[in-house]
Amino acid sequence: MSKWVYMFTEGNAGMRNLLGGKGANLAEMTNIGLPVPQGFTITTEACTQYYKDGRKINDEIMDQAMAGVKKMEEINGKKFGDLKNPLLVSVRSGARASMPGMMDTILNLGLNDEVVAAMIAGNPDPKFERFVYDSYRRFIQMFSDVVMEVGKKYFEQLIDKMKDAKGVQYDVDLTAADLKELAEQFKAEYKKQLGEDFPSDPVVQLKLAIEAVFRSWDNPRANVYRRDNDIPYSWGTAVNVMPMVFGNLNDESGTGVAFTRDPATGEKKLMGEFLKNAQGEDVVAGVRTPMPISQMEQEFPEAYGEFTKVCDILENHYHDMHDIEFTVDNKTLYMLQCRNGTRTAQAALKIACALVDEGHKTEAEAVAMIDPRNLDTLLHPQFDAAALKAATPLGKGLGASPGAACGKVVFSADEAEAQAAKGEKVVLVRLETSPEDITGMKAAQGILTVRGGMTSHAAVVARGMGTCCVSGCGDIDMDEENKKFVLGGVTFNEGSEISIDGTTGNIYAGIIPTVDATIAGEFGRVMAWADKYRRLKVRTNADTPTDAKKARELGAEGIGLCRTEHMFFEADRIAAFREMICSDTVEEREVALDKILPYQQGDFEQLFEALEGNPVTIRFLDPPLHEFVPTEDADIKKLAEAKNKSTDEIKRMIDSLHEFNPMMGHRGCRLAVTYPEIAKMQTKAVIRAAINVQKKHSDWAVKPEIMIPLVCEVKELESIKKIVTDTADAEIEAAGIKLDYEVGTMIEIPRACLTADEIAKNADFFCFGTNDLTQMTFGFSRDDAGKFLQAYYESKIFENDPFAKLDQNGVGKLMEMTIKLGKPVNPKLHIGICGEHGGDPSSVEFCHRIGLDYVSCSPFRVPIARLAAAQAAIAEKADKGCNCGDDAKKSFVDDETKAKLEEAAKKAEEIAKELANQSADVAKAGLEGLKAGFDAAVKAYKETRNK
Ligand code: ADP
Ligand code: MG
Ligand code: MG
């Protein structure tokens, strides 16, 4: 029999995979003596089982859950469904990785008409009666929404109607009688929607609620969130069942959320919000504006004192910034959740540095704790300082997620998506956001809300996505219906331009120009640590000197891919290039190519200059020629004149370039096979440029790497390589200079992988072009896949876009095979990757594991790749140290300690050898002495580590 249910006392923080993050941390907090209402967790494996059983909870799981209820009743001295001392519970989701707001929670479960009546009868205080009905109406609403999927809105409308009828603004102003009436209305609504009575048996309620949480793992917004955050569907969610504590009991009660450090800036100060006489999501949902945590100190001194103590305990225990959900029930503090707090990239870096300085973490641990994907936001533009200073803000909200955003105002998530799809930059402006808005939020440059604090849905989700967000700007006079709002006397309509500053919270009319980001301060410090640990080199994909310079600033150690064709599109060269394409003879072509040569050479010189002697990989012409030919009549006429041909002739030539399947057509090295003179010209341009730059900088070792694309057969490479070396050697000899160069190939056709042992003999390097390799391996094109991939996600055939996240099972296997075949026949062969995957953290980790020498990615992804490469190296060392679980991973040994240990081991070996020559007794005594010494050393080491 499997164990499906764990009491909080049976778990710990290391059991996250089985108990989910929430369950594991509730157990851990229990273990370290924090005030947690005692309940139990149904495992993530039970969730997987639920899906295996065809979306049913089997009897074994349900029996164990009911046994858990029984134990919970004993611990808490209350009974489920009891009329004297009823136990109410919450049923909460909680996956391995935090998925804020994506799944569902039900509060106050166990209530029914009898329990309500009995509770009220047992306590004559009218305030208590109000509390009971408040809990009841909340329960019916949540149960209906989450479990029975009757929309929340029906109930919200009833609440609004009641508030209107009673002339009050907030739900707290409703009386016991109002709430009682509401509960009745809710039950009636339930019956109207579902045609049956609200279930009154608490056991039935519980079973349905557990089922609903399991089911919520598969809801659409959770699926989108998982895809964005690399969370596998197979993980499942756990369910936590625990006794309710009541923040809505009276004015001595309330509920709050807090961070032990500022999640936006990383500053070391308690941040949070608290709402009096409230329950659950009230703080986050923005039903009333919560008070800042500092004000809680004045109004709830005891609970606040206790709370700050708990925060310190948590930081010292977990050695990280924590995000906490808590409730005060009649002045007593209860902890309901803690987890590593989501933070902005800026805060993540600041906190990582602070944790190292405070002695909580080693440098390697600090590097390992930063999500590389987050860095992206820091690398996005910020407002131009001068322009920002000159601008006058119209209003101010909370700087909820930093960064700069400008664009056109939209009022709905759908509109944001639609506009973004058209390439428009938009800022989503809402009263408040809800989980349904997530795709629209992702599409927007920034998010601006009227209501909600630093922990509102908009704020939390935006921070997670790295999107700029200003929340809670109450000065906005919103008219959602007519799609307009007024702020600071200015009226904004749909399409009006707006700029928001997620750091200061300022809001401006119009577009404020932005500037690129740089690596400085804590960012630089963490990147320097990362560089100490990584083995993979990081290069960049850059076609222009500007990109190359930017990439160098961001730490690129070379160019891994320069696409030469991009250089041909510029106005001054496209004409010559077209003349080259529309040539009938080699001679004609050579005349045109001679015109292009100086341009190419000039481009390459600038690239070599920008890279300051670091390697530069230049790929020869790759795309099908038809991409370059003119389509406009005027251009065709111009070309005809230049070529001394009729426009009809030119048109005929253009037509002849048409291909049914250009991506698999006349392109890549096939162009050099048919037109060797193109390869010759490009070789001359590369080598002449290198010679010139080498001459100028004698202290650099300029070493061009010429890369032949789309090779599938070694003889293709041989034949083109001969053209390249003949041309290059002649140029070098003529210049009378010493210059090294390499000729290698892209690996992007499965046949090249399969025959890598042959190709490697003729190549100085391989570079995986994983965009084409993915396309050719899957057999669908990147440009068309978008149309059907959505259906693939929905039917769970794919969890990710293989063009964004490397398919390790298929494409990855080809890569591994290529390395295994290639390296032994050519030990000098260096191997890299230059597809978009080169900047995707999980793909970088894979590249490290299979032994690539470098990854190459777009300039702004260079820091991401550097960090991901370091994390891969750190994780690998930890794995090698010992493979006995998460705790052991922490005992990562740095290089210095490792050297010391090795030295000690060598000495021990010498002593042992010497002992072997002694008498048996002496040897035995000596060995025991050695062992004792060793044990003591290990113990001492462990102790220093634990500090
Ligand atoms: P999420 O994962 O979306 O944060 P939770 O399961 O944490 O959802 O529940 C949301 C909120 O409900 C909590 O922050 C807390 O305020 C409230 N809550 C959950 N369980 C209890 C409980 N046993 N007693 C009181 N409030 C609870
Ligand atoms: Mg929570
Ligand atoms: Mg390619």
Side-chain angles (χ1 to χ4, degrees):
M1 192 162 85
S2 307
K3 186 167 166 62
W4 303 109
V5 168
Y6 288 74
M7 302 307 291
F8 292 164
T9 45
E10 293 177 294
N12 62 56
M15 293 165 76
R16 159 179 289 270
N17 291 359
L18 187 63
L19 303 180
K22 200 180 285 168
N25 281 333
L26 283 166
E28 188 77 8
M29 287 198 288
T30 300
N31 294 341
I32 59 176
L34 300 183
V36 177
Q38 287 302 299
F40 61 86
T41 305
I42 308 173
T43 65
T44 53
E45 286 172 358
C47 179
T48 324
Q49 190 62 41
Y50 161 87
Y51 283 102
K52 264 195 216 141
D53 291 341
R55 299 184 178 235
K56 277 196 197 73
I57 302 184
N58 69 37
D59 291 345
E60 190 175 283
I61 296 173
M62 203 55 211
D63 288 349
Q64 290 189 23
M66 288 320 293
V69 169
K70 201 153 180 8
K71 281 190 203 147
M72 185 167 62
E73 288 175 338
E74 282 159 19
I75 300 171
N76 293 283
K78 292 183 176 180
K79 248 179 102 102
F80 209 47
D82 194 54
L83 295 185
K84 279 198 208 93
N85 203 3
L87 175 70
L88 305 187
V89 298
S90 64
V91 178
R92 318 169 64 190
S93 57
R96 256 193 238 187
S98 155
M99 297 171 59
M102 290 302 126
M103 290 178 302
D104 296 323
T105 289
I106 300 123
L107 304 180
N108 308 324
L109 186 136
L111 284 175
N112 57 34
D113 288 353
E114 291 79 49
V115 171
V116 164
M119 282 174 82
I120 293 168
N123 187 335
D125 185 349
K127 279 197 194 131
F128 188 75
E129 184 185 359
R130 184 193 179 283
F131 149 72
V132 173
Y133 281 116
D134 185 48
S135 304
Y136 197 25
R137 62 97 188 172
R138 286 172 187 269
F139 171 54
I140 301 168
Q141 177 176 356
M142 275 190 169
F143 188 90
S144 309
D145 173 31
V146 171
V147 181
M148 306 310 287
E149 295 171 355
V150 177
K152 248 199 301 246
K153 61 169 190 242
Y154 300 108
F155 302 93
E156 276 163 3
Q157 282 163 2
L158 288 171
I159 298 177
D160 285 343
K161 235 188 186 162
M162 179 65 78
K163 285 197 287 195
D164 278 351
K166 302 290 166 180
V168 299
Q169 192 179 359
Y170 296 118
D171 54 357
V172 275
D173 302 325
L174 294 172
T175 63
D178 300 338
L179 293 166
K180 181 178 180 182
E181 169 64 28
L182 262 185
E184 289 304 322
Q185 289 179 5
F186 281 10
K187 273 190 293 175
E189 186 68 32
Y190 182 96
K191 186 153 190 189
K192 187 171 133 202
Q193 297 282 342
L194 297 167
E196 57 188 68
D197 283 328
F198 189 81
S200 60
D201 179 351
V203 176
V204 172
Q205 294 172 353
L206 180 64
K207 181 164 187 204
L208 290 170
I210 295 171
E211 238 160 22
V213 172
F214 283 155
R215 196 174 62 222
S216 72
W217 177 249
D218 197 30
N219 74 32
R221 60 177 197 263
N223 281 319
V224 170
Y225 186 89
R226 268 197 297 276
R227 202 155 52 245
D228 288 349
N229 290 279
D230 270 358
I231 300 173
Y233 178 71
S234 61
W235 282 2
T237 180
V239 181
N240 301 288
V241 180
M242 61 194 290
M244 286 301 299
V245 286
F246 299 103
N248 59 337
L249 185 60
N250 51 32
D251 281 346
E252 307 295 339
S253 309
T255 181
V257 255
F259 294 89
T260 55
R261 299 180 192 226
D262 187 327
T265 65
E267 199 190 330
K268 192 174 181 181
K269 92 174 201 256
L270 199 56
M271 279 274 308
E273 283 158 347
F274 185 76
L275 196 57
K276 212 196 279 191
N277 198 344
Q279 190 176 52
E281 306 284 69
D282 290 0
V283 179
V284 192
V287 287
R288 277 175 278 146
T289 301
M291 62 173 95
I293 204 93
S294 50
Q295 196 178 329
M296 180 188 163
E297 184 173 9
Q298 290 141 32
E299 299 203 24
F300 292 78
E302 296 104 359
Y304 182 80
E306 190 65 20
F307 179 65
T308 52
K309 265 190 242 156
V310 166
C311 289
D312 282 345
I313 293 173
L314 284 175
E315 276 224 348
N316 287 324
H317 184 71
Y318 285 98
H319 304 292
D320 199 357
M321 182 267 251
H322 261 249
D323 171 349
I324 297 162
E325 296 176 9
F326 65 98
T327 280
V328 176
D329 178 324
N330 212 10
K331 294 192 185 169
T332 308
L333 175 78
Y334 291 96
M335 299 301 294
L336 296 174
Q337 185 174 345
C338 78
R339 61 172 171 233
N340 285 353
T342 327
R343 57 204 81 178
T344 62
Q346 208 179 339
L349 294 168
K350 191 174 180 94
I351 290 171
C353 289
L355 290 174
V356 169
D357 295 340
E358 292 164 22
H360 283 295
K361 298 254 182 213
T362 64
E363 288 174 5
E365 285 166 343
V367 167
M369 71 188 281
I370 290 167
D371 184 349
R373 289 171 306 177
N374 262 352
L375 294 184
D376 206 26
T377 50
L378 292 182
L379 298 162
H380 283 315
Q382 308 281 321
F383 283 128
D384 174 67
L388 191 66
K389 220 170 159 194
T392 322
L394 288 179
K396 192 172 165 71
L398 300 167
S401 178
C406 45
K408 298 198 164 136
V409 169
V410 290
F411 291 90
S412 74
D414 289 344
E415 191 59 26
E417 254 190 288
Q419 291 294 330
K422 282 193 231 151
E424 283 289 352
K425 289 185 170 176
V426 298
V427 173
L428 178 62
V429 185
R430 311 266 299 150
L431 278 175
E432 68 224 337
T433 63
S434 65
E436 290 78 28
D437 295 334
I438 190 141
T439 38
M441 294 170 73
K442 217 167 61 179
Q445 305 290 309
I447 297 147
L448 170 60
T449 69
V450 181
R451 293 202 284 251
M454 292 293 285
T455 52
S456 64
H457 176 265
V460 172
V461 173
R463 277 198 294 274
M465 298 193 302
T467 300
C468 160
C469 175
V470 173
S471 69
C473 178
D475 292 340
I476 289 178
D477 184 5
M478 181 67 129
D479 180 359
E480 269 189 324
E481 206 155 297
N482 295 307
K483 293 193 180 168
K484 64 179 189 185
F485 70 87
V486 180
L487 177 66
V490 178
T491 302
F492 291 82
N493 296 301
E494 193 164 76
S496 302
E497 288 178 336
I498 191 168
S499 297
I500 61 174
D501 185 333
T503 311
T504 59
N506 283 335
I507 302 155
Y508 306 85
I511 303 281
I512 298 179
T514 53
V515 291
D516 283 350
T518 55
I519 298 186
E522 276 124 6
F523 197 171
R525 204 171 157 209
V526 171
M527 291 317 294
W529 292 338
D531 290 346
K532 277 207 280 195
Y533 293 102
R534 74 185 154 91
R535 179 188 61 72
L536 272 179
K537 295 255 180 228
V538 177
R539 297 192 187 184
T540 189
N541 300 348
D543 311 334
T544 66
T546 321
D547 280 358
K549 277 199 201 103
K550 186 80 229 169
R552 282 289 292 153
E553 271 171 48
L554 298 174
E557 297 162 297
I559 289 183
L561 172 65
C562 164
R563 302 174 170 94
T564 50
E565 56 271 14
H566 288 188
M567 300 168 166
F568 296 133
F569 280 110
E570 280 174 44
D572 49 353
R573 347 190 152 171
I574 187 73
F577 198 71
R578 286 172 178 164
E579 287 167 32
M580 190 281 292
I581 296 172
C582 292
S583 297
D584 288 315
T585 64
V586 177
E587 291 72 28
E588 242 185 274
R589 222 169 353 258
E590 277 175 343
V591 170
L593 283 167
D594 278 344
K595 290 191 198 167
I596 301 167
L597 175 59
Y599 289 123
Q600 279 248 289
Q601 184 183 330
D603 290 335
F604 294 149
E605 278 179 24
Q606 287 187 49
L607 279 184
F608 289 132
E609 286 279 355
L611 265 291
E612 304 167 301
N614 288 290
V616 176
T617 308
I618 291 166
R619 180 182 70 183
F620 279 6
L621 189 64
D622 184 49
L625 295 180
H626 79 92
E627 285 188 13
F628 299 92
V629 294
T631 49
E632 307 276 319
D633 280 347
D635 291 333
I636 294 175
K637 201 163 153 240
K638 202 169 126 201
L639 180 57
E641 277 160 17
K643 299 288 308 183
N644 232 338
K645 290 187 163 113
S646 73
T647 51
D648 279 349
E649 248 175 304
I650 294 290
K651 276 188 184 153
R652 227 175 296 128
M653 290 178 109
I654 292 174
D655 286 345
S656 74
L657 290 172
H658 171 80
E659 290 179 305
F660 284 105
N661 205 339
M663 289 319 282
M664 302 182 100
H666 190 193
R667 57 175 286 230
C669 66
R670 296 159 203 165
L671 293 169
V673 171
T674 44
Y675 306 124
E677 50 282 5
I678 300 179
K680 243 184 249 169
M681 180 281 284
Q682 290 203 292
T683 306
K684 280 186 197 161
V686 170
I687 297 298
R688 286 179 191 177
I691 289 170
N692 284 351
V693 174
Q694 181 66 71
K695 275 186 185 159
K696 252 200 264 170
H697 303 274
S698 56
D699 52 328
W700 297 354
V702 179
K703 187 176 182 185
E705 298 177 0
I706 290 172
M707 182 153 77
I708 312 300
L710 220 69
V711 164
C712 66
E713 156 60 47
V714 64
K715 290 194 192 111
E716 275 175 316
L717 180 62
E718 274 168 1
S719 117
I720 299 162
K721 190 174 173 183
K722 179 150 189 340
I723 301 166
V724 171
T725 50
D726 285 353
T727 314
D729 293 347
E731 291 288 332
I732 294 167
E733 203 184 301
I737 194 173
K738 203 183 135 7
L739 183 87
D740 276 342
Y741 65 94
E742 293 188 349
V743 185
T745 175
M746 289 196 78
I747 300 287
E748 48 189 343
I749 294 183
R751 192 176 189 283
C753 303
L754 296 167
T755 59
D757 47 349
E758 292 167 25
I759 298 176
K761 282 185 214 144
N762 278 284
D764 296 317
F765 62 90
F766 281 172
C767 186
F768 289 106
T770 46
N771 298 344
D772 266 313
L773 188 57
T774 299
Q775 171 159 273
M776 307 261 190
T777 303
F778 279 88
F780 51 66
S781 108
R782 179 154 69 138
D783 305 309
D784 298 320
K787 286 184 206 144
F788 54 81
L789 278 181
Q790 195 55 41
Y792 271 57
Y793 301 145
E794 275 155 24
S795 37
K796 310 246 161 47
I797 296 173
F798 287 175
E799 282 188 48
N800 301 95
D801 176 355
F803 292 107
K805 191 178 163 191
L806 188 71
D807 160 46
Q808 300 182 3
N809 291 342
V811 177
K813 206 181 266 175
L814 282 172
M815 294 169 71
E816 281 181 274
M817 172 198 275
T818 307
I819 297 170
K820 278 209 192 98
L821 289 174
K823 283 249 174 170
V825 299
N826 180 0
K828 277 201 222 136
L829 186 79
H830 60 93
I831 307 183
I833 176 177
C834 62
E836 264 313 298
H837 300 107
D840 167 65
S842 68
S843 310
V844 171
E845 198 261 339
F846 178 76
C847 293
H848 171 91
R849 234 179 321 124
I850 63 172
L852 291 199
D853 297 295
Y854 64 86
V855 297
S856 187
C857 54
S858 53
F860 285 98
R861 290 192 150 200
V862 166
I864 298 174
R866 283 162 71 195
L867 184 60
Q871 292 184 345
I874 290 167
E876 183 184 64
K877 279 200 186 178
D879 276 345
K880 278 198 182 138
C882 174
N883 50 8
C884 38
D886 281 345
D887 269 345
K889 279 195 186 159
K890 286 193 202 129
S891 64
F892 164 62
V893 181
D894 62 39
D895 285 345
E896 199 184 321
T897 316
K898 194 171 151 223
K900 275 190 199 153
L901 285 175
E902 276 167 5
E903 198 184 318
K906 217 187 244 161
K907 258 199 199 133
E909 199 184 324
E910 277 163 24
I911 297 173
K913 268 186 199 151
E914 205 161 288
L915 282 173
N917 296 327
Q918 311 283 334
S919 80
D921 280 352
V922 175
K924 194 170 166 234
L927 276 176
E928 267 161 17
L930 261 181
K931 189 171 175 300
F934 181 72
D935 287 347
V938 169
K939 192 164 163 247
Y941 174 70
K942 278 192 182 154
E943 272 167 15
T944 45
R945 271 242 14 126
N946 288 343
K947 276 181 205 150

